[in-house]
Amino acid sequence: MQQLTHKITIKTNGRRLYDITPQVMSWAANSGLHTGLLTLYIQHTSASLLINENYDPDVLVDMDTFFERIVPDGDAMFIHTAEGRDDMPAHIRSALTQTSISIPFIDGKVALGTWQGIFLYEHRFAAHTRNVLLHLIAE
Amino acid sequence: MQQLTHKITIKTNGRRLYDITPQVMSWAANSGLHTGLLTLYIQHTSASLLINENYDPDVLVDMDTFFERIVPDGDAMFIHTAEGRDDMPAHIRSALTQTSISIPFIDGKVALGTWQGIFLYEHRFAAHTRNVLLHLIAE
Amino acid sequence: MQQLTHKITIKTNGRRLYDITPQVMSWAANSGLHTGLLTLYIQHTSASLLINENYDPDVLVDMDTFFERIVPDGDAMFIHTAEGRDDMPAHIRSALTQTSISIPFIDGKVALGTWQGIFLYEHRFAAHTRNVLLHLIAE
C-alpha cells in the first residue's frame, strides 16, 4: 500500500463552478498505482467541492441561480458583513456543499460515473487563489 | 492492510429514500477483516447518499417534503429543462446531500450509530438503475 | 501503514456550533505518525459535522440564523413531531451538512486551511451527549 499527496492550485475569477476533473484524473492516472481511494479536500470556507453533471453547461448556471435564491447576497439577516455582501453567503454555500469527497480508484482510474465531473465551486465575487489537496492511498 | 471493492446496484422505482444498510453491513461483515475505513460512493448526479434516522418512516416522508419545498420541480428559474421538470431539482438535491460517505469499520462492524441507516436517495420520478461503489481498507 | 481509532464525546447544551478542532488536532499530532488521512464520523442524525470559519464568531451566529429560516422549527409541513418541534428540523439540518469529513494528514499535522475549524453542529435544543469517531490511517 502506498500514499501520494498533491496540491492543486486554482486561480478563480468570480463566482462559478470550475471543472477540475482533468487535473485530478491525470494526477491519479500518472501515479502508476492500480486500486485504492482518492480523497479531495479544499482548504477554504468560502469555496467548496461538488460532484456535478459535466455535460450541459446550463446545469452549472441553474445550480448557481438556486444558491443565489436560497442564500441571498447582502441579506439583512446577516451580521457578519465586514468582508462583503457575498462573504457570509459563501460560508453558507460551502456548508451546504462539500469540503471533502472520497472516490474509489479502480483499475488505475478515478471511478467517476459517466456524467460526473469534479468541480471547485468559487462562491466569492472577487478573484481568489484556492488550494485543493489530493490524497491517494492505493496499491 | 487489505482493500476490497464492491458495486451495489439498486433498481429504483421513483423518488424516495431507499435503505441500503443491510447490503452494506453484510458485505463489510463478510470481509473477514477487523478494523479500517469503509467508503461509499454513488456514480450519479441525480441520486445521492444520506445517513438518516432509520426508525420512524415519517422522517423519510418529511425529508422529501422539505426538499420539494426548497427545490420546486419545474420551477421557472431553471433553464436546464430538456430532461424533465424533476431533473435540475435532482442535481440540486444531490449537491445538497452526499456523493461520498466514509464510516469507520471497528471490530468487524460498520460503526453506525444506534439510529443511523444508510440510504440511497433517488431524486428522479422515473425508475433508474443506480450504482454505489463500496471501498474497504482494513486489517 | 498504521491505523488508529478514537472516540471523542462532547456534551452539548443546546443548538449551536461547538469547536472540536483542538481535540482532533492534538489526538492526530500525538499519534507519532507523519502522512495519511484523517476521517471524522458522527454517530447521530440530529447533530452533524462542519468545516467552517474559525475566526469571527458572528459567522457561527449567521450560519444558524440561515438554517432557522430555511428549516423552520415546528413547521406545519412536518408529520414527524412526536420528538419535539426541533427534531425533524435537526434531521434535515444534518442532511444538509456533513456526517463524515476526511482531511489529509501531512507532516504530522491535520491539513486544515488557515481559517478552517472543525465543528460539531448540535441541532437539538436540549442537552445531548454526542460521539464523533476519528480514524487515522498513516505512516
Side-chain angles (χ1 to χ4, degrees):
Chain A
M1 204 75 66
Q2 294 181 50
Q3 290 184 113
L4 292 169
T5 59
H6 183 59
K7 184 193 287 188
I8 293 180
T9 300
I10 299 106
K11 291 186 179 297
T12 63
N13 56 5
R15 177 183 283 175
R16 69 176 174 89
L17 289 144
Y18 295 77
D19 189 351
I20 60 170
T21 316
Q23 287 136 282
V24 174
M25 296 289 270
S26 69
W27 176 76
N30 290 336
S31 68
L33 300 173
H34 189 271
T35 301
L37 187 70
L38 174 73
T39 298
L40 298 98
Y41 182 81
I42 188 163
Q43 292 185 301
H44 306 279
T45 63
S46 56
S48 59
L49 298 172
L50 193 59
I51 300 287
N52 199 359
E53 206 211 65
N54 65 353
Y55 185 69
D56 180 0
D58 285 350
V59 169
L60 309 184
V61 174
D62 283 352
M63 186 66 67
D64 208 65
T65 301
F66 170 78
F67 279 110
E68 295 202 340
R69 184 165 76 174
I70 63 158
V71 197
D73 296 299
D75 195 288
M77 75 175 154
F78 298 131
I79 57 175
H80 172 80
T81 56
E83 295 175 62
R85 61 200 293 277
D86 59 327
D87 188 62
M88 190 60 222
H91 295 313
I92 293 171
R93 287 157 160 260
S94 296
L96 295 173
T97 51
Q98 315 300 323
T99 298
S100 75
I101 298 172
S102 293
I103 313 171
F105 177 72
I106 299 175
D107 295 336
K109 194 166 175 300
V110 181
L112 294 176
T114 310
W115 307 107
Q116 289 185 319
I118 306 169
F119 293 85
L120 180 145
Y121 201 163
E122 174 60 69
H123 300 297
R124 299 301 308 270
F125 298 151
H128 281 78
T129 300
R130 302 301 195 177
N131 295 323
V132 176
L133 301 181
L134 306 186
H135 175 270
L136 178 65
I137 184 165
E139 60 196 339
Chain B
M1 206 73 69
Q2 293 181 51
Q3 289 185 113
L4 291 169
T5 60
H6 183 58
K7 185 193 286 187
I8 293 180
T9 300
I10 299 105
K11 290 185 179 296
T12 64
N13 56 5
R15 177 183 283 176
R16 69 177 175 87
L17 289 144
Y18 294 77
D19 189 352
I20 61 171
T21 317
Q23 287 136 282
V24 174
M25 295 290 269
S26 69
W27 176 76
N30 290 335
S31 68
L33 300 173
H34 189 270
T35 300
L37 187 69
L38 175 73
T39 298
L40 298 97
Y41 182 80
I42 188 163
Q43 292 185 300
H44 306 278
T45 63
S46 56
S48 59
L49 297 172
L50 193 60
I51 299 288
N52 199 358
E53 205 210 64
N54 66 352
Y55 185 69
D56 180 359
D58 285 351
V59 169
L60 308 184
V61 173
D62 283 352
M63 187 65 69
D64 207 65
T65 301
F66 169 78
F67 280 109
E68 295 202 340
R69 186 166 74 175
I70 62 157
V71 197
D73 296 299
D75 195 287
M77 76 175 153
F78 298 131
I79 56 174
H80 172 80
T81 56
E83 296 176 61
R85 60 200 294 276
D86 59 326
D87 188 61
M88 191 60 223
H91 294 312
I92 294 171
R93 287 157 160 258
S94 296
L96 294 173
T97 52
Q98 314 300 323
T99 298
S100 76
I101 298 172
S102 293
I103 313 171
F105 176 73
I106 299 175
D107 295 336
K109 196 168 175 297
V110 182
L112 293 176
T114 309
W115 307 108
Q116 288 184 319
I118 306 168
F119 294 86
L120 180 147
Y121 202 162
E122 174 60 70
H123 300 297
R124 300 300 308 270
F125 299 151
H128 281 79
T129 300
R130 302 302 195 176
N131 295 322
V132 177
L133 302 181
L134 306 185
H135 176 271
L136 178 65
I137 184 165
E139 60 196 341
Chain C
M1 205 75 68
Q2 294 181 50
Q3 289 184 114
L4 291 168
T5 59
H6 182 58
K7 185 193 286 188
I8 293 180
T9 300
I10 299 107
K11 291 186 179 297
T12 63
N13 57 5
R15 177 183 283 176
R16 68 178 174 88
L17 289 143
Y18 294 77
D19 188 351
I20 60 171
T21 316
Q23 287 136 283
V24 174
M25 295 290 270
S26 69
W27 176 76
N30 290 336
S31 68
L33 299 173
H34 189 271
T35 300
L37 186 71
L38 173 73
T39 298
L40 299 96
Y41 182 81
I42 188 163
Q43 292 185 301
H44 306 278
T45 61
S46 56
S48 59
L49 298 172
L50 193 61
I51 300 287
N52 198 359
E53 206 212 64
N54 66 353
Y55 185 68
D56 180 359
D58 285 351
V59 170
L60 308 185
V61 173
D62 283 352
M63 188 65 68
D64 208 66
T65 301
F66 170 78
F67 279 109
E68 295 203 340
R69 184 165 76 173
I70 63 157
V71 197
D73 296 298
D75 194 288
M77 77 175 153
F78 298 131
I79 58 175
H80 171 80
T81 56
E83 296 175 61
R85 60 201 292 278
D86 59 327
D87 188 61
M88 191 59 223
H91 294 313
I92 293 171
R93 286 156 160 260
S94 297
L96 294 174
T97 51
Q98 314 300 323
T99 299
S100 75
I101 297 172
S102 293
I103 312 172
F105 176 73
I106 298 175
D107 295 336
K109 194 165 176 299
V110 182
L112 293 176
T114 310
W115 306 107
Q116 288 185 319
I118 306 169
F119 294 85
L120 180 145
Y121 201 164
E122 174 61 70
H123 300 296
R124 300 299 309 269
F125 298 152
H128 281 79
T129 300
R130 303 299 195 178
N131 295 322
V132 176
L133 302 181
L134 306 185
H135 175 272
L136 178 64
I137 184 165
E139 60 196 338

